[in-house]
Amino acid sequence: GEDVEQSLFLSVREGDSSVINCTYTDSSSTYLYWYKQEPGAGLQLLTYIFSNMDMKQDQRLTVLLNKKDKHLSLRIADTQTGDSAIYFCAEGNDYKLSFGAGTTVTVRA
Amino acid sequence: DAGVIQSPRHEVTEMGQEVTLRCKPISGHNSLFWYRQTMMRGLELLIYFNNNVPIDDSGMPEDRFSAKMPNASFSTLKIQPSEPRDSAVYFCASSNLQGMKFFGPGTRLTVL
């Protein structure tokens, strides 16, 4: 999606933290989302944040939202091999979601 | 909860043949979406239904593509005739009243 930009690749060592960044353009989005796609599978809703929040923590996942800069990030603490996947940032209202191109996260031993 | 169910999971067909993809949304979800995913174009929204009614089909590539939702628990996406450039993974998703989208496992379509 041209309205959502992400870096394409991230390589991280097992046990380290991963940080995936995303920028978006639509400031009217009510929610912003992170989806995870494992090889050969569909998109799994990983977490989301309401647009009036700055941060949301869910176990190993931390979402940070900087609404002024239209910047969203996903931090995965203690990254495991099972976290290897493509992570999509998405934003939008009502039914229309704009997805980024996805960040491929590779976890190396 | 079985999640969104799609069939078939894989489809290989020859150019010119008709292809029908099927989707069963999560029970109670009032919106259904068909997406296409390719390496070149990423995820594209093809069509969106709300309460079984097509609301936005502006993403449908051309007249060869059609989608129906005869009831709240079933939808089809049909391509007739199929072409090699239709090869992609087609996802169905449904959403609840809060707008949270849940995706099916996808149908990997290969048109030879």
Side-chain angles (χ1 to χ4, degrees):
Chain A
E2 59 190 42
D3 301 323
V4 180
E5 291 190 0
Q6 305 175 237
S7 53
L8 293 181
F9 301 100
L10 176 67
S11 178
V12 61
R13 195 162 47 192
E14 191 175 7
D16 288 353
S17 292
S18 309
V19 179
I20 309 167
N21 294 301
C22 168
T23 57
Y24 60 96
T25 57
D26 186 356
S27 59
S28 67
S29 296
T30 306
Y31 290 99
L32 295 105
Y33 306 85
W34 284 103
Y35 282 85
K36 176 184 179 183
Q37 185 178 31
E38 295 182 16
L43 275 73
Q44 171 197 354
L45 179 60
L46 201 57
T47 187
Y48 63 94
I49 187 167
F50 192 50
S51 59
N52 69 353
M53 296 170 65
D54 299 324
M55 185 181 86
K56 178 179 179 181
Q57 188 142 6
D58 183 1
Q59 299 181 355
R60 293 191 297 120
L61 305 178
T62 303
V63 180
L64 294 178
L65 175 61
N66 182 327
K67 216 175 169 185
K68 174 176 165 289
D69 294 338
K70 298 193 182 75
H71 182 266
L72 182 73
S73 69
L74 173 69
R75 178 176 179 268
I76 306 171
D78 186 24
T79 310
Q80 304 298 307
T81 54
D83 296 323
S84 293
I86 304 175
Y87 292 80
F88 291 90
C89 170
E91 56 92 13
N93 280 318
D94 197 16
Y95 68 91
K96 216 139 185 145
L97 276 188
S98 291
F99 286 87
T103 300
T104 299
V105 173
T106 303
V107 181
R108 60 187 193 276
Chain B
D1 188 348
V4 176
I5 298 172
Q6 289 188 248
S7 65
R9 292 295 311 275
H10 302 273
E11 175 84 26
V12 180
T13 191
E14 291 187 341
M15 184 173 64
Q17 296 298 305
E18 177 181 295
V19 174
T20 300
L21 311 181
R22 296 173 177 78
C23 174
K24 182 181 185 330
I26 292 172
S27 177
H29 283 193
N30 64 328
S31 296
L32 183 140
F33 309 80
W34 282 100
Y35 285 86
R36 177 171 68 176
Q37 185 180 39
T38 60
M39 288 291 290
M40 292 295 294
R41 300 171 70 94
L43 266 165
E44 302 172 276
L45 176 65
L46 301 178
I47 188 168
Y48 153 63
F49 292 87
N50 185 252
N51 293 323
N52 313 340
V53 176
I55 303 299
D56 184 353
D57 64 354
S58 59
M60 296 284 264
E62 44 197 278
D63 291 346
R64 297 184 297 108
F65 285 68
S66 62
K68 292 182 180 178
M69 191 165 185
N71 57 62
S73 59
F74 184 66
S75 177
T76 59
L77 177 68
K78 189 175 291 187
I79 308 172
Q80 166 63 20
S82 58
E83 296 182 3
R85 61 192 166 117
D86 302 330
S87 297
V89 182
Y90 290 81
F91 289 105
C92 177
S94 67
S95 69
N96 55 20
L97 288 174
Q98 287 72 41
M100 297 291 131
K101 279 194 179 66
F102 296 86
F103 283 75
T107 296
R108 183 172 294 276
L109 173 65
T110 303
V111 183
L112 302 173

